[in-house]
Amino acid sequence: MSMFSRVFGKPKQETNALTTLDKLNETLEMLEKKEKVLLKKAAAEIEKAKEYTRGKNKRAAIQCLKRKRLYEQQVEQLGNFQLRIHDQMIMLEGAKATTETVDALRTGAATMKAMQKATNIDDVDKTMDEINEQTENMKQIQEALSAPIGAAADFDEDELEAELEELEGAELEEQLLQPATTTPAAPVYVPAGRQPTRPVAAKKPTPEEDELAALQAEMAL
């Protein structure tokens, strides 16, 4: 087994990394608590040294300052421990992220490989050929259904176009020769007891009215 597999290959190692991170975090919290206690003790020794100084007890004051320095040395040591734990946690978190990334990439590669294996290029080509063949067959069927059959297949399209143009010309000529229809004039309403100021011009009889009058005259004879 390669070093890469030993580092990134097992899910158990991810669990171990999480457990280790939890343990380091607990240790870090414990060191921080101890640091706070030592700082309080160092501050208390300073206050004692001040009291002994006011009481002219120089020897006792010096002992307090010595204990204060011992506490400060322990605080410094605890600070170094915390720094190392922080560094270790950062490294483990980075390794965990790398492991998860590699695992995701491995899973993606395996899935892609399985998909490619299930769909090889020969099957794709065969499927596309079948689709093209079916499309061409459907096109031929549609063309066959739209083609004229029976007597209609023998009609000349040019002759039909010429006949249509003749019909359109005849229709237009008939419309031009048709006499224009005249709209009868609307009757003029004159109120009772009033005469129009201008005489109304007599309406000119139409040819049809002249023929009707002549016919009536012959019948009277």
Side-chain angles (χ1 to χ4, degrees), residues 22-192:
D22 290 339
K23 181 62 177 178
L24 289 172
N25 194 41
E26 291 176 2
T27 304
L28 185 62
E29 291 178 356
M30 180 268 294
L31 292 175
E32 289 175 350
K33 290 179 181 179
K34 284 187 175 182
E35 182 181 9
K36 291 179 180 179
V37 172
L38 291 172
L39 289 173
K40 288 182 179 180
K41 288 182 177 182
E45 293 297 334
I46 293 174
E47 294 300 324
K48 289 179 182 180
K50 289 180 181 180
E51 291 178 3
Y52 287 132
T53 302
R54 287 192 293 268
K56 305 300 180 178
N57 191 346
K58 183 177 180 182
R59 182 180 178 84
I62 290 175
Q63 292 297 324
C64 290
L65 293 177
K66 287 180 179 180
R67 287 193 296 270
K68 177 188 73 79
R69 289 191 178 182
L70 290 174
Y71 290 143
E72 289 175 347
Q73 289 176 358
Q74 291 182 20
V75 169
E76 184 179 357
Q77 188 177 19
L78 291 178
N80 291 331
F81 290 163
Q82 293 177 49
L83 182 61
R84 290 182 180 180
I85 290 176
H86 276 297
D87 183 56
Q88 189 70 23
M89 291 176 67
I90 291 172
M91 291 179 62
L92 284 174
E93 289 172 351
K96 180 177 176 294
T98 303
T99 301
E100 292 175 349
T101 302
V102 173
D103 185 60
L105 292 173
R106 183 186 293 111
T107 302
T111 303
M112 182 68 70
K113 184 177 181 180
M115 293 173 64
Q116 291 177 350
K117 185 177 181 180
T119 310
N120 67 32
I121 189 63
D122 294 334
D123 292 338
V124 174
D125 291 339
K126 182 178 179 181
T127 302
M128 293 305 300
D129 290 340
E130 291 177 353
I131 292 174
N132 292 333
E133 182 179 356
Q134 293 172 4
T135 302
E136 185 63 26
N137 290 339
M138 182 59 65
K139 182 179 179 181
Q140 293 177 2
I141 291 173
Q142 292 175 348
E143 290 178 352
L145 291 175
S146 62
I149 59 176
D154 298 330
F155 293 154
D156 190 342
E157 292 291 335
D158 293 337
E159 291 181 357
L160 293 174
E161 291 286 345
E163 184 176 353
L164 179 61
E165 290 180 0
E166 290 179 2
L167 289 175
E168 292 175 348
E171 180 69 17
L172 179 60
E173 183 178 357
E174 182 177 351
Q175 292 177 359
L176 294 175
L177 293 177
Q178 185 176 1
T181 57
T182 57
T183 303
V188 179
Y189 172 75
V190 180

